[in-house]
Each structure stands twice: as C-alpha cells, then as structure tokens.
Amino acid sequence: MNQTFGVTGSSPAPRPRPFSVNNAPRLFTLVVLAILFLITSAAAQQSSAPPPQQKPDAGQPAQPANPPQASSQDTTTQNPNIKQQEKTGTSNDRLFFALPNFLTVESKNVPPLTAGQKFKVVARGAFDPIQIPWYAIQAGISQAENSEPGYGQGAEGYGKRFGAYAADGTIENFFVGAIFPSVLRQDPRYFQMGQGGFWHRTGYSVSRIFVARTDSGHHMFNFSEIFGSAAAAAISTYSYHPSADRNLGNAGSVWGTQVGYDTITLVIKEFWPDIRRKAKKKKEAPAP
C-alpha cells in the first residue's frame, strides 16, 4: 500500500485524490501488472487456438481431426503441482516464476486451511526474499518522485520509504490473508476456474474481490478483502506515516488503490497456470 504525503509544517496537507501523481509507486506496480495481464491474456488466447490440420501423405491413413484428449481427471492425477495442492492445501507456485503465489490452487479438491496454516502460508509469502527488491523498487520510485516529502531525501529518506513499503505490504497481507480469514472462517485462497472463455474467466476472477469461500466450502461476501484492506490502510495511515498525512481522504485513497491492485492480481492468477503450462511444453518439446 502507498500513502500520499503533504509537506510537513503549519499548513494542512492537501487532500490526496485516489490514483493521484503522489501515488506514483503504486500506480507503477498497477501498470506493470496490467501489462503482464495483457501479455498473459494474449498468450492464453494463443494457446487455446486449435493447431492447423495437416494433410496426410499419400498412402498413409488419415488421422482423426480431433484425437482423443486425456480427461481432466487423468491430467490432475499426472500433474505434480495439483497433487501437492490436494495434499497440503497450498501451492509452491510463483507468478512469472518469481512472485509468491502460494494461495492460488488449480483444484477444488483441496483440504480446508486451519488458522495456523493461514498465518504460516501468508508469512511464507510476506517474508519471501523476492519482496526485498520489490519494495526497494517502489521506494526508489517514491524517492525519485519525492511523493513522500515527509521522509526527506538521501539514504535516510530512502530507508524510511523502504521500511514503510515493507510494513504496508506485510500488514495488508496478514489482514487480508490471515487475520480476517481466521476470525471470519473464510478461505483466503484463490480457486482458479481454468476453463471457459476469456471474458467469462476474467469476470470470475474480478468477482472474487467481493465473493469469498468459507472454510466449509460455501460462498459469502469477501469481508476479508474489503475490510481487511481497509483496516490495513487505516493502520498504515494513522500510525507510522507522517502526521500531516493522517486524514480520512488519504486512508480512502490507499484503500481504493489496494483493492484495484488486488483485482488485477487476481486476473493474472487466473491465467498464469495456462502460461506456465505452455512455457513448460515449449521447453520440453523436442527439437525438429
């Protein structure tokens, strides 16, 4: 989560607007994810296109136009990733082979998570080493834009920004993925649809911001996402950030930006397994 800051002094800080220029680091990550989403969706559409039919050589029997495909049950049995998910309830996957994606599962046949497991898997992703360069980039953009002038410049200002981004991300992850889901008995995992048209799957992934599964497998409003991110934004705004920025408008801006960020992330999570499988097939394909 990213906060906007006014100039420290006797005059009040200007009321920040959602997605304003002072939200440059968060906007940067949103743009990056949007670009990755476009690449992902294009590759997914390409992978769904049927291969061109080849004419058989003379003297050879014609092959059927639609050869029998392995059933989804056989595919699941042979997929070690899905087998691991059905055993532990979580994944070892990483978005674009880098960012933690441990709460995305491709199978509906997974065991429910206990409260301890929710905290454990969130901590595993929140403190993953890849988060260090991720927060470092956001802090660097913030410093270059001077979007948080209350922190100053130089090494000290950069260190404060880096610490704030690390704290913001960690707090939001725990509130959305562990604290609220444990109290409300909601399932923090994203269950990939994995089939259907592009827009149908996109609509499904976007709707998961508002629709959550319970630990018992039912559906209910996603209190964990909406109120968890709001609580994280309030704590971030009214605690360790400069006092000039402690206002309701800034907290609302951070909240809205975070929900938008999470929405784009869910869409990418829906199509990433398709891209991962396609990349694996290309790697394993024999040279002509």
Side-chain angles (χ1 to χ4, degrees):
M1 299 187 318
N2 178 37
Q3 271 64 352
T4 55
F5 300 103
V7 179
T8 304
S10 57
S11 59
R15 184 180 182 86
R17 295 174 296 175
F19 304 101
S20 66
V21 69
N22 288 334
N23 271 322
R26 177 56 62 188
L27 287 175
F28 170 78
T29 57
L30 283 172
V31 170
V32 169
L33 287 176
I35 293 174
L36 292 176
F37 161 66
L38 292 176
I39 296 174
T40 300
S41 62
Q45 289 177 329
Q46 181 180 0
S47 63
S48 62
Q53 298 293 331
Q54 297 181 354
K55 295 182 178 180
D57 297 335
Q60 292 184 352
Q63 298 294 328
N66 296 313
Q69 301 292 331
S71 65
S72 58
Q73 184 177 0
D74 294 338
T75 303
T76 299
T77 304
Q78 298 174 2
N79 191 326
N81 294 324
I82 297 181
K83 290 174 64 177
Q84 190 268 345
Q85 294 169 18
E86 293 179 345
K87 180 179 179 181
T88 65
T90 59
S91 171
N92 288 326
D93 188 43
R94 291 177 179 271
L95 287 176
F96 307 103
F97 306 105
L99 300 176
N101 191 32
F102 307 144
L103 283 172
T104 297
V105 292
E106 302 172 56
S107 172
K108 304 297 188 295
N109 186 28
V110 291
L113 298 178
T114 65
Q117 289 174 319
K118 294 173 185 178
F119 276 89
K120 183 178 179 180
V121 69
V122 169
R124 181 183 166 205
F127 300 114
D128 190 90
I130 195 64
Q131 302 291 5
I132 296 177
W134 182 252
Y135 294 137
I137 292 173
Q138 295 188 40
I141 297 173
S142 176
Q143 179 132 330
E145 295 284 340
N146 198 29
S147 60
E148 300 168 314
Y151 285 141
Q153 289 291 320
E156 182 179 1
Y158 179 82
K160 291 179 179 179
R161 288 178 170 89
F162 178 85
Y165 276 104
D168 288 352
T170 303
I171 291 172
E172 201 270 342
N173 285 335
F174 272 95
F175 268 93
V176 173
I179 297 176
F180 271 74
S182 297
V183 173
L184 301 175
R185 298 182 179 179
Q186 290 189 326
D187 196 326
R189 293 172 293 189
Y190 176 76
F191 291 82
Q192 187 211 20
M193 174 174 281
Q195 58 183 357
F198 170 74
W199 291 114
H200 181 62
R201 294 174 64 182
T202 300
Y204 164 81
S205 58
V206 170
S207 70
R208 298 308 97 178
I209 283 289
F210 304 102
V211 180
R213 284 170 59 110
T214 65
D215 289 339
S216 59
H218 299 90
H219 292 87
M220 65 182 299
F221 182 76
N222 196 349
F223 294 101
S224 298
E225 170 65 38
I226 302 302
F227 291 102
S229 58
I235 292 175
S236 173
T237 302
Y238 290 100
S239 57
Y240 52 85
H241 282 279
S243 58
D245 304 292
R246 298 175 185 177
N247 57 75
L248 185 60
N250 188 36
S253 174
V254 174
W255 180 30
T257 305
Q258 184 60 47
V259 171
Y261 175 90
D262 290 346
T263 302
I264 295 177
T265 303
L266 290 180
V267 176
I268 295 176
K269 287 182 176 183
E270 172 62 31
F271 292 98
W272 164 243
D274 301 83
I275 304 304
R276 188 191 64 227
R277 287 190 290 268
K278 183 177 178 64
K280 185 177 180 180
K281 288 181 179 178
K282 283 187 177 182
K283 185 178 179 180
E284 295 177 349

